[in-house]
Amino acid sequence: MEIRTLLEKHRPDLAPYEELYKNLHQNPGLSLQEHLAASTAASHLRSLPDFDVRTDIGGTGLIGILKNGDGPTILLRADTDALPVKELTGLPYASQKREVDIEDGVEKPVMHACGHDMHITCMLAAASTLSSSRSEWKGTLIILFQPNEERGAGAKAMIADGLYSPSKHACPVPDIVLGQHVMPFASGEVGTRIGSFASAADSFRVTVYGRGGHASQPHRTIDPVVLAAHIVVRLQTVVSREVDPREAAVVTVGSVQAGMTENIIADEAVIKINVRTVTPETRTRVLAAIKRIVKAECEASGSPKPPYWESTSSFPFTINDEKTTKTVQEAFTSYFGYKHNPSCNPLGGSEDFAVLATEAPNEKVEGGKGVPYCYWVFGGVDPDVWGEREKEGRLEDVPINHSAYFAPVLSPTLKTGVDALVVGALGFLGKGG
């Protein structure tokens, strides 16, 4: 059956999925606390014929396995966690939720500010579509819902918990892993890219030490605020003066914390640093430069002891396999036509999606693990709004992921995300009939 006919016949009515999305959006869960998302996904998959559902993998992670005869094994992944952001969209289904973050015990506002609620909803509707159209394809379909993407630890946790272990969760080892992300460009459009698609990300909490005392006697102290300020300024030269201009890298100091009041010089300051790089060589160079600068500034300030480094998250590179991505691109061009961009810009952010592929057992490759993968993007901005902002030269006014104003327009975003998952999967699953 031709793919367009298949989708029109088997894609479910999306109205109930829009309501499901609104419920997820209104009731988000922080990383490691994605309980509603997990229970919603598990319940939906269990309502479909022949899905074998396995839960509590690496936290709230779960898989649904649909075996449908001989053929390739394809894994589709969606992430489920939300962010500590106070929503300001003004939507009737905006999140008002607050919850205590189990990572640090602090109560925070919670919002699906990165579109993972849309990912969940698209995946559930795609699972329904592929289940309904079983007569049209052969192989094994794995629907995977991954927690804790925002902190870069969810995929690793699922692997460590025995996702692919025959004696634990026994997920069939995929031949291909596929995934997608909603992004701030025109809804109805999709984008793919061969090769490097998302940067690696490394985050650190660095504590630098001074000697506290009264603000009126700075000569008897070592001020960690001044020390931290010098570090922040000096770090701005890493990219501008140490990275090849033809390369891409970002060094961001997102948080500096020290002291509690204005008349006390603190004993220490905490700096939170986020680094993005697109090649292993630049990653090594940038991380080394940051550590060199922090160490040198501490010595220059007479810090009483070396800085203390804590790694808070680490995301791998996302490098789309050429052959796999070409197959996806051919399928997307055939279905989406001019609304498919096969040379879209790389993601500005980072992803741990690739871990589910790079850590999959594979005796056929050196090292005994690693299968091909492809990750793509689809737009979530009202096409009319996007067109107006583009015409005005004001695309910076469009809310981006992690913004308190980020909320994908429901239509045609949901339909596009569903269709992309189905079209992508059917590009690899064997023909039925």
Side-chain angles (χ1 to χ4, degrees):
M1 184 182 296
E2 197 266 340
I3 186 65
R4 201 171 303 276
T5 304
L6 181 150
L7 281 163
E8 292 304 318
K9 179 178 180 181
H10 294 286
R11 185 196 310 111
D13 176 11
L14 294 182
Y17 289 90
E18 291 186 0
E19 295 307 309
L20 185 153
Y21 166 81
K22 291 176 183 178
N23 186 47
L24 290 172
H25 188 86
Q26 201 164 30
N27 298 281
L30 290 170
S31 299
L32 303 175
Q33 296 164 239
E34 313 90 340
H35 304 296
L36 175 65
S39 62
T40 300
S43 175
H44 185 89
L45 291 177
R46 287 183 174 128
S47 73
L48 301 176
D50 303 321
F51 262 100
D52 175 4
V53 181
R54 302 171 191 180
T55 60
D56 303 318
I57 308 174
T60 61
L62 67 132
I63 54 174
I65 305 165
L66 179 58
K67 294 185 177 180
N68 191 36
D70 295 333
T73 297
I74 305 302
L75 187 153
L76 302 180
R77 173 268 204 178
D79 39 13
T80 59
D81 53 336
L83 288 158
V85 174
K86 180 175 175 58
E87 181 162 356
L88 299 175
T89 62
L91 291 168
Y93 51 89
S95 170
Q96 301 296 324
K97 186 175 179 181
R98 297 182 64 87
E99 68 179 359
V100 175
D101 190 337
I102 63 172
E103 184 182 60
D104 56 16
V106 176
E107 183 179 271
K108 302 172 182 177
V110 192
M111 176 190 174
H112 268 300
C114 201
H116 295 186
D117 46 352
M118 181 61 71
H119 300 172
I120 299 163
T121 309
C122 290
M123 186 66 79
L124 292 176
S128 295
T129 305
L130 288 163
S131 172
S132 175
S133 62
R134 292 191 305 283
S135 62
E136 301 298 325
W137 59 268
K138 295 294 182 184
T140 297
L141 174 69
I142 303 161
I143 302 294
L144 183 146
F145 292 93
Q146 180 211 303
N148 201 13
E149 182 277 334
E150 294 294 353
R151 294 172 183 165
K156 293 177 185 175
M158 294 186 77
I159 296 294
D161 193 31
L163 173 66
Y164 297 123
S165 171
S167 61
K168 192 70 182 287
H169 298 292
C171 176
V173 176
D175 296 301
I176 301 289
V177 177
L178 303 175
Q180 64 179 9
H181 205 299
V182 63
M183 297 297 287
F185 60 88
S187 179
E189 298 181 7
V190 295
T192 57
R193 184 183 184 90
I194 293 170
S196 180
F197 195 64
S199 62
D202 299 279
S203 294
F204 304 94
R205 181 187 293 113
V206 186
T207 305
V208 295
Y209 300 97
R211 184 170 61 239
H214 201 287
S216 69
Q217 301 179 59
H219 60 292
R220 301 188 64 177
T221 71
I222 296 173
D223 192 338
V225 174
V226 175
L227 166 56
H230 279 290
I231 291 171
V232 172
V233 172
R234 183 74 179 186
L235 288 179
Q236 307 311 306
T237 68
V238 173
V239 174
S240 67
R241 289 296 176 267
E242 300 194 39
V243 173
D244 187 325
R246 294 167 295 183
E247 285 283 344
V250 178
V251 176
T252 299
V253 178
S255 173
V256 181
Q257 300 171 337
M260 298 296 290
T261 189
E262 74 280 359
N263 65 344
I264 299 173
I265 293 174
D267 288 305
E268 63 184 43
V270 177
I271 307 168
K272 296 181 180 179
I273 305 171
N274 180 258
V275 182
R276 311 282 174 148
T277 50
V278 296
T279 65
E281 297 78 14
T282 300
R283 186 184 202 180
T284 300
R285 185 180 183 89
V286 168
L287 295 180
I290 291 170
K291 292 188 176 182
R292 185 193 75 235
I293 287 169
V294 172
K295 179 176 182 290
E297 291 293 351
C298 287
E299 291 175 352
S301 293
S303 185
K305 58 181 176 179
Y308 179 67
W309 291 81
E310 299 172 85
S311 175
T312 53
S313 69
S314 180
F315 292 79
F317 296 101
T318 300
I319 303 174
N320 282 334
D321 175 70
E322 181 176 1
K323 182 179 178 181
T324 302
T325 306
K326 282 184 176 179
T327 299
V328 171
Q329 289 176 333
E330 290 172 3
F332 279 8
T333 297
S334 176
Y335 180 75
F336 291 108
Y338 72 93
K339 292 189 175 182
H340 166 228
N341 178 2
S343 301
C344 72
N345 292 328
L347 283 179
S350 304
E351 258 289 344
D352 68 345
F353 155 85
V355 173
L356 298 169
T358 59
E359 294 296 318
N362 187 354
E363 296 179 354
K364 298 178 182 178
V365 299
E366 185 178 353
K369 60 184 180 180
V371 299
Y373 62 85
C374 176
Y375 197 69
W376 64 81
V377 290
F378 63 113
V381 181
D382 183 310
D384 292 335
V385 171
W386 179 264
E388 290 171 8
R389 298 296 175 271
E390 190 172 38
K391 185 178 180 180
E392 296 166 355
R394 299 289 302 178
L395 288 178
E396 65 270 22
D397 292 343
V398 175
I400 62 174
N401 303 70
H402 292 210
S403 162
Y405 298 93
F406 181 79
V409 62
L410 276 169
S411 179
T413 307
L414 178 57
K415 177 177 177 293
T416 303
V418 173
D419 290 358
L421 287 168
V422 173
V423 171
L426 291 177
F428 300 95
L429 290 166
K431 303 299 181 185

